């Protein structure tokens, strides 16, 4: 049925994209956008007898809009596809869920589940042309896993033993192992990172990072 809408938009010379019942129409000004919005809404409701979701419809700049999880960024005429902030927020929420200690999973199970999610998510969003955020988000994922491993080492002597077993000197291991700082703060500690480096997660445990 929406093929009829496509033909109507083409007849009017409008630039648009549509996927299923979700679409975006591009015009040159806000005034033109408001006019097209009124006309298209009238066409959809009266001609096609369909309801327009007003909560998800509106006139805005391309870089403020969200379409299929994507948006745009523009700097001095250089327009690029980016991942919308809401999509990133949902991504981070899901990673937090998968790396929550309360789930009672082994680190191997967590990484297996995480890999499945990361592969699927990046398989969809790899279309993004802005990737300067990749190192920081990958580092954040590894910090989550580092904290996941640290938290069960509850007793100071356990922390000291595990740090020493992974190459930290006894003096530094005692210092770090007896601190009262939480797992998240210690996940960026230099000696904890020495004991649990990035390559431990990617090479030894098989974590697949984005990018």
């Amino acid at each position: 049925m929406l093929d009829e809408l496509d033909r109507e938009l083409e007849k009017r010379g409008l630039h648009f994209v549509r996927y299923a019942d979700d679409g975006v129409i591009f015009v040159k000004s806000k005034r033109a956008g408001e006019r097209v919005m009124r006309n298209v809404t009238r066409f959809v409701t009266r001609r096609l007898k369909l309801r327009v979701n007003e909560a998800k419809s509106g006139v805005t700049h391309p870089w403020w809009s969200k379409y299929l999880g994507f948006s745009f960024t523009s700097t001095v005429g250089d327009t690029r596809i980016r991942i919308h902030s809401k999509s990133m927020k949902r991504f981070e929420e899901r990673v937090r869920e998968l790396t929550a200690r309360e789930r009672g999973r082994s680190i191997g199970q967590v990484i297996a589940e995480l890999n499945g999610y990361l592969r699927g998510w990046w398989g969809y969003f790899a279309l993004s042309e802005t990737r300067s955020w990749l190192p920081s988000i990958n580092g954040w994922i590894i910090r989550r896993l580092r904290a996941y491993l640290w938290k069960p080492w509850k007793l100071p002597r356990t922390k000291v033993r595990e740090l020493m077993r992974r190459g930290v000197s006894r003096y530094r291991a005692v210092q770090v192992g007896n601190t009262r700082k939480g797992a998240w703060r210690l996940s960026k500690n230099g000696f904890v990172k020495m004991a649990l480096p990035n390559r431990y997660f990617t090479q030894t445990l098989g974590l697949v990072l984005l990018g």
Side-chain angles (χ1 to χ4, degrees):
M1 182 179 289
L2 287 176
D3 290 342
E4 188 175 349
L5 173 62
D6 295 344
R7 290 192 292 271
E8 180 67 20
L9 296 178
E10 289 170 355
K11 186 172 70 175
R12 298 184 186 192
L14 295 170
H15 299 283
F16 68 96
V17 292
R18 180 177 67 82
Y19 180 79
D21 62 349
D22 198 356
V24 180
I25 303 171
F26 298 96
V27 293
K28 293 183 178 181
S29 67
K30 182 179 179 181
R31 185 177 179 181
E34 291 170 345
R35 183 183 68 252
V36 169
M37 181 75 180
R38 287 194 302 270
N39 292 338
V40 170
T41 299
R42 187 182 304 116
F43 180 86
V44 170
T45 55
R46 296 182 181 179
R47 178 75 172 270
L48 302 183
K49 307 300 181 183
L50 298 174
R51 184 176 64 86
V52 174
N53 189 332
E54 295 183 2
K56 293 184 178 181
S57 303
V59 179
T60 186
H61 291 289
W63 44 89
W64 292 344
S65 64
K66 176 176 175 288
Y67 184 64
L68 302 179
F70 291 94
S71 187
F72 299 93
T73 181
S74 181
T75 304
V76 195
D78 181 20
T79 302
R80 297 185 179 187
I81 300 170
R82 68 177 178 88
I83 302 172
H84 196 275
S85 58
K86 289 183 178 179
S87 300
M88 289 302 305
K89 184 178 179 180
R90 283 196 294 270
F91 169 81
E92 292 172 0
E93 288 172 352
R94 182 56 179 155
V95 171
R96 286 191 179 94
E97 290 173 1
L98 292 173
T99 56
R101 278 280 352 158
E102 294 75 17
R103 298 178 69 235
R105 301 288 199 275
S106 69
I107 189 65
Q109 291 173 318
V110 170
I111 287 180
E113 293 176 330
L114 196 55
N115 282 347
Y117 177 66
L118 295 177
R119 286 192 183 100
W121 191 87
W122 186 245
Y124 180 82
F125 283 107
L127 181 64
S128 172
E129 296 173 316
T130 58
R131 302 190 176 187
S132 59
W133 52 271
L134 278 173
S136 62
I137 202 71
N138 283 330
W140 174 74
I141 291 170
I142 289 179
R143 275 194 70 187
R144 294 284 307 176
L145 294 173
R146 193 176 287 127
Y148 191 92
L149 282 176
W150 179 266
K151 204 166 183 179
W153 302 347
K154 295 180 180 180
L155 298 176
R157 64 172 178 269
T158 304
K159 297 172 183 176
V160 172
R161 183 182 68 244
E162 293 293 341
L163 288 170
M164 290 178 61
R165 189 166 70 86
R166 289 168 167 79
V168 179
S169 69
R170 180 177 179 79
Y171 175 73
R172 295 300 185 184
V174 169
Q175 275 189 323
V176 177
N178 283 279
T179 184
R180 296 194 178 193
K181 294 178 181 178
W184 179 245
R185 289 186 64 186
L186 285 171
S187 65
K188 67 176 183 178
N189 176 275
F191 296 105
V192 176
K193 290 170 70 174
M194 180 190 301
L196 298 170
N198 292 2
R199 65 178 179 275
Y200 173 72
F201 296 97
T202 56
Q203 297 177 18
T204 304
L205 298 181
L207 174 67
V208 175
L209 295 175
L210 300 177

